[in-house]
Structures are given as structure tokens and as C-alpha cells.
Amino acid sequence: MASIRDIAKEARVSPGTVSRVLNNDPTLSVSEETRKRIYDIAENFQYKKAERKNKSIQIITYASRAKEMSDPYYREIRLAIEAEVKRLNLSLKRTLRIDGEHDAIDFTKIAKAGAIIVVGNFAAEAILELQSYNQNIVVINNPNTPKSVDAVYSDLYDAMTQLLDDIDHSELNDIVYVGGTHTIKNLAGMPTLNNQNIEDKRYIAFNDWCNKHQRKGEVLMNGWHKEDGINAVNEVLQNQHLPQVFIAGNDMIALGILQQLQLKKYTLPDDIKLISFNDLEVIQYAVPSISSVHIPIDDFGKIAVRMAEERINKTRKIAIHVIAEAQLKERMTFKVNK
């Protein structure tokens, strides 16, 4: 393909003049004859201007600032995205929060971004609507993302199944799972009518595994906060039942369980084992340190930004779903018997 220098040589003008003519620079003083000659040569050479790439990334999240403060999971995902955007010398637009507390979403901002990265449990219809405004879309942490949209997440059903196999291998069979349900939101930040409370994959896997292996398993769907872990311990002890293992659906629940067990003078791991999900930094320095299924949040951010960059650069046209491995990080509150 012809370059500006090729056109300049043929037109007997400088490359700078060719560039300014082809870019319609209003400050350029050049005769109409020269201008026409440059256009004709460019057309004959089948010259095409290189598209200027829009390298801006727009984060769209359903987590309010308050939610990010109470549950660091969403904050750490956002920070991981921001760090990778900076490392790749892309630009970052101000985060759009679809949480029901802010103004209606401005779709013009979404359309103007080079790519958008969506975080949270949005309905499939909402994701497809966002895609209609910006084809360069990547969704994080939502396994229900339509196959036509890029996504990165972990298989929590498989992670729970693997964890229960490890617990069973350690000859522990009296287990309590503490978790919550998920709210699926629309683009107004409100729960969708048909999907207000979706069962979590960890909960489904727990029930399936216990039924398959005929193991005793109790489920408390209290919620995702530290107080829910505290309440779970109180509820179990009121029934005069101390299980061998508590599994917490996230780290905040695990901190509540640990705090309340210690308040009741139980010792971990001697009296009871405790395992959480997510493995955020906040639980790694608890005393005793809490074993947790590590969800690779940093990798979520890195992979999502790279996928977005591929879309911006048009180096990939097909949608892909990346399933990042979730691994048990053994610490003091539970170790697998080898």
C-alpha cells in the first residue's frame, strides 16, 4: 500500500503537505491545483488513511462505592483493571456505576470508549444492550455472559466440587456452607423481575456433591457480609451442632465466622476447620491464617484488559470465554491430608 512519502514524491511536494491536505487541515495554504493533484494521486495509489485507534477503556460496574468498601472483592477487580490499563499505556475513563443510586447510564460515553469492561452480575439482555453501543466489550466474573461476548471468570461449581473432594479425603464429613444469593441487575441498576435472586454456583455444587456422596451437609444462605458469618455461627450453636468444617462463600463471611468462633472459645483448626472463597489480602493475615480458594482477581483484570486491547486493535474477531483456574491456598485453618 502506498505511503504518504510515495504520494509526496509523485506530487512533488513535501510529505507534510500531503498529510495536511489529506487530513483537511484548514490552516494550510495551498493552491487548488496542488490540492487536487494530491487527492488524484492518493486515489490512484489506493491510499487509505490509517485509522486512529481509540485506546480508552471504560469500566462499568454494578458495585457502588459503599459495596466496594464493605466487600473488597469488587474494589480489587477494579484496581487490577486500572493497573493493567496503566501498564499497557492505554487510557482509562471515569468508572460508570450502575447501582441504582446514580443518574441513568449515559450511552454516548459507552459508545465513545475504545472498549468497555463490565464487572458484576448483569442480566444477559443488559450485556447485549451494552454490546449494541460498543462492540469492544469484555465481561468479568459473570459465567452467564452470552457466548457472543468476551468474558473471563472462574468455574466456582468445579472449585467447590474439588474442595469437597479434598475435605472428604481428609475424612471430614460434617460440613456447613454459609453463603448467599446473587441479584441480577438491569441497566437501571435494579433487580430484573425474573432473576432477582439467583442460586450461587458454590451452593448448587455443595448440594449436588452432598447428595451424590450421601454426606451430611447443612446450608445457611444468610448473605455475603461479615455479620452473616457471625449469625451463622450463632445459629449453628443454638441448634447444639458444631460441624467439623465451615465453608464460607467469601472472605468477609469467613472473618465473621472466625471472630465468633473465637469469641465462643473454640480453637481453629483443632476444634473446627474453616475454608473461604476468593482469597483476598484481608484474610491472609488473620490469626490463625484462613485457608481459601483463590479466585485470580489480578488475572481477571489483566486478561480482560488484554482482551479489550485485542478488540481495539482488531487482532481478534471471534468472542472467547476464558475460565481462570481457582486453587485452594492452604493455611492454618485447613490443610488437606496427603
Side-chain angles (χ1 to χ4, degrees), residues 209-277:
W209 189 94
C210 289
N211 291 334
K212 179 181 178 181
H213 294 82
Q214 297 183 325
R215 294 290 191 270
K216 181 181 180 181
E218 182 180 352
V219 175
L220 298 175
M221 301 298 280
N222 292 14
W224 299 106
H225 300 100
K226 182 178 178 181
E227 295 74 16
D228 298 314
I230 293 172
N231 294 335
V233 172
N234 292 336
E235 187 173 340
V236 165
L237 294 180
Q238 281 177 357
N239 296 328
Q240 298 182 332
H241 170 220
L242 184 67
Q244 293 174 301
V245 184
F246 266 114
I247 299 177
N250 70 10
D251 296 324
M252 302 312 293
I253 296 172
L255 288 174
I257 291 172
L258 176 63
Q259 175 183 314
Q260 196 64 6
L261 286 173
Q262 291 177 330
L263 185 65
K264 299 294 184 180
K265 307 302 182 184
Y266 290 103
T267 302
L268 289 84
D270 296 335
D271 296 330
I272 189 169
K273 320 296 184 195
L274 172 62
I275 310 150
S276 72
F277 273 77

Side-chain angles (χ1 to χ4, degrees), residues 61-75:
T61 179
Y62 88 163
S64 64
R65 293 187 184 278
K67 185 175 181 64
E68 284 193 357
M69 291 301 295
S70 64
D71 185 351
Y73 183 79
Y74 290 99
R75 183 174 72 251

Side-chain angles (χ1 to χ4, degrees), residues 68-315:
E68 284 193 357
M69 291 301 295
S70 64
D71 185 351
Y73 183 79
Y74 290 99
R75 183 174 72 251
E76 292 198 14
I77 287 179
R78 178 174 56 79
L79 293 176
I81 294 169
E82 291 176 358
E84 188 66 5
V85 166
K86 182 177 181 181
R87 193 186 73 81
L88 293 177
N89 293 319
L90 305 174
S91 63
L92 190 68
K93 291 180 172 289
R94 185 176 180 180
T95 298
L96 293 179
R97 298 183 185 274
I98 305 178
D99 52 15
E101 300 175 8
H102 290 74
D103 294 336
I105 187 169
D106 186 346
F107 289 107
T108 59
K109 291 182 178 179
I110 292 171
K112 289 179 180 178
I116 57 175
I117 297 179
V118 182
V119 182
N121 292 303
F122 288 101
E125 297 80 7
I127 294 171
L128 291 174
E129 186 174 353
L130 290 173
Q131 186 188 36
S132 72
Y133 287 93
N134 194 320
Q135 290 292 309
N136 301 335
I137 175 174
V138 185
V139 179
I140 292 180
N141 195 42
N142 188 344
N144 298 315
T145 300
K147 294 297 185 286
S148 61
V149 177
D150 288 343
V152 54
Y153 50 88
S154 289
D155 186 341
L156 297 183
Y157 186 100
D158 179 70
M160 175 62 87
T161 301
Q162 292 293 326
L163 174 60
L164 291 167
D165 286 342
D166 288 339
I167 293 171
D168 188 56
H169 186 74
S170 300
E171 300 182 349
L172 302 167
N173 51 43
D174 188 353
I175 310 166
V176 171
Y177 171 66
V178 185
T181 57
H182 290 297
T183 301
I184 307 300
K185 294 187 178 182
N186 58 26
L187 294 184
M190 303 303 293
T192 57
L193 294 177
N194 298 325
N195 300 302
Q196 290 192 32
N197 294 300
I198 297 296
E199 291 179 343
D200 182 74
K201 298 292 186 184
R202 285 158 285 201
Y203 163 76
I204 297 172
F206 183 85
N207 275 341
D208 288 351
W209 189 94
C210 289
N211 291 334
K212 179 181 178 181
H213 294 82
Q214 297 183 325
R215 294 290 191 270
K216 181 181 180 181
E218 182 180 352
V219 175
L220 298 175
M221 301 298 280
N222 292 14
W224 299 106
H225 300 100
K226 182 178 178 181
E227 295 74 16
D228 298 314
I230 293 172
N231 294 335
V233 172
N234 292 336
E235 187 173 340
V236 165
L237 294 180
Q238 281 177 357
N239 296 328
Q240 298 182 332
H241 170 220
L242 184 67
Q244 293 174 301
V245 184
F246 266 114
I247 299 177
N250 70 10
D251 296 324
M252 302 312 293
I253 296 172
L255 288 174
I257 291 172
L258 176 63
Q259 175 183 314
Q260 196 64 6
L261 286 173
Q262 291 177 330
L263 185 65
K264 299 294 184 180
K265 307 302 182 184
Y266 290 103
T267 302
L268 289 84
D270 296 335
D271 296 330
I272 189 169
K273 320 296 184 195
L274 172 62
I275 310 150
S276 72
F277 273 77
N278 291 353
D279 192 37
L280 300 178
E281 187 175 358
V282 67
I283 61 105
Q284 296 176 21
Y285 303 105
V287 180
S289 57
I290 300 174
S291 300
S292 186
V293 176
H294 179 75
I295 308 301
I297 291 174
D298 282 348
D299 291 296
F300 281 2
K302 291 175 183 177
I303 292 168
V305 174
R306 292 171 192 172
M307 291 167 76
E309 186 182 39
E310 288 175 352
R311 289 295 194 175
I312 290 171
N313 293 333
K314 302 186 186 307
T315 57

